[in-house]
Amino acid sequence: MRSTARISTAGRAGRALIGLGTAAGFVLLVPAQAWALPPGCTQSGANFTCTAGIPAGQILNGTSGNNIITITGGAVDGTVNGLAGNDTIRVTGVAGTAGTNGPAGANGTMGTPAGNAGGNGGVGNVGGNGVGTSGVIDGGAGTDSIIVIGGAGGNGGNGGQGGLGFATGAGGAGGNGGIGGVGNAGNITGGAGNDIVTLTAGRGGNGGLGGSGGNSALVAGGAGAGGIGGAGAAGGVGNSGIFTGALADPGLDDVTANGGAGGTGAAGGVGGCGHGGGAGGVGGAGGAGGIGNSGTISGGAGADTLKANGGLGGNGGVGGKGGNGSAAVQPGGAGGVGGAGGAGGIGNSGTLTGGTGVDTITATGGKGGNGAGGGNGGTGCSGPGGPGGLGGAAGAGGLGNSGTINDGLDTITTSSGASGLAGGNGVAGINNGGICTC
């Protein structure tokens, strides 16, 4: 026996309305379903807040009004459409996490009198991109403001202290910082209107401190050397993707790509004291500044302003102080060499095209970082003091342009960044006549 599905009261009413509408010459339309927001996004009127980025395959559509769209917590790997209106779209990449600190070295024992070296600090993690390689932002019509910032690189972890003993452990090296995130690695379109676009890379992470050398016994062995300071990481690239102004729009676009600053090198560890002071650790080098633009920026139609700025080179870390002698006629340790400054970033190594119109294009290299001072020598205990460490070299300024700049009718300016300053040498230690202190 066949069963027949029953039609609900609501279903019969709906069919009756459709029939009535058809007979009367009009058609009833079901209201359109609203587009679902990407995960982590909320909407309040024309304002949108997204705390998990825009995942690949997801689309965020604004309204026809003046939207404020704020995106954090992850890269834009999907699509953002501002649509009409004077929109403000701001994207901030996730900062990299810091490296772990190195453990201290074990102290010497009766059976094993030498102390162990301290552990090295962990490397900082890379900062997240603002817009990923699959990401798309379309400002749409209107005077839009688009700000994209890459995440900062994580700092390196500190090196562990060397263990104590008759012959003692050296301090662990500090971890290097993580590279800054790219501002835009995807595809951004300003759309019609006078748009202002800023694409800024994340700063490189700072290096971790070198661990101090362990102290030795007064009658044998030698004190541990200080650990090397971690190097600062390079800043990220401002734009490694594509920006395109509207090709048929005479709007006056202002587009800036900024390389991230290099991270600061960390100080070398202090040498241990004891039966001959340990050498101070070498300071970490500063990170190189990031490239402003290594991708493609095209202003489209109109008299546009395009700028590509290399990031600042990071400063080097100070050399560690030499350890003091702490027994009769024992010398002080040598001071560590200061870290070199990082090179400034190149302004443009990609392509800058103004498009139609008389445009203003500027590519500027970043300033080099300063070298750090050498560490001071340790004090001798009725023995000579240790020599001071050499100062770190200055970082070179970045080139203004090593890529391609098109359009001969435009006003084009390229300039290299200035070099940093060299660090001073450390001061030699003294013979203190037998007062043995650390």
Side-chain angles (χ1 to χ4, degrees), residues 56-88:
Q58 296 288 322
I59 300 175
L60 175 64
N61 289 315
T63 70
S64 58
N66 299 333
N67 302 300
I68 298 177
I69 300 174
T70 304
I71 301 171
T72 58
V76 174
D77 291 317
T79 300
V80 177
N81 293 317
L83 303 180
N86 301 329
D87 305 317
T88 298

Side-chain angles (χ1 to χ4, degrees), residues 117 119 197 244 280-281 337 357:
V197 179
T244 306
V337 175

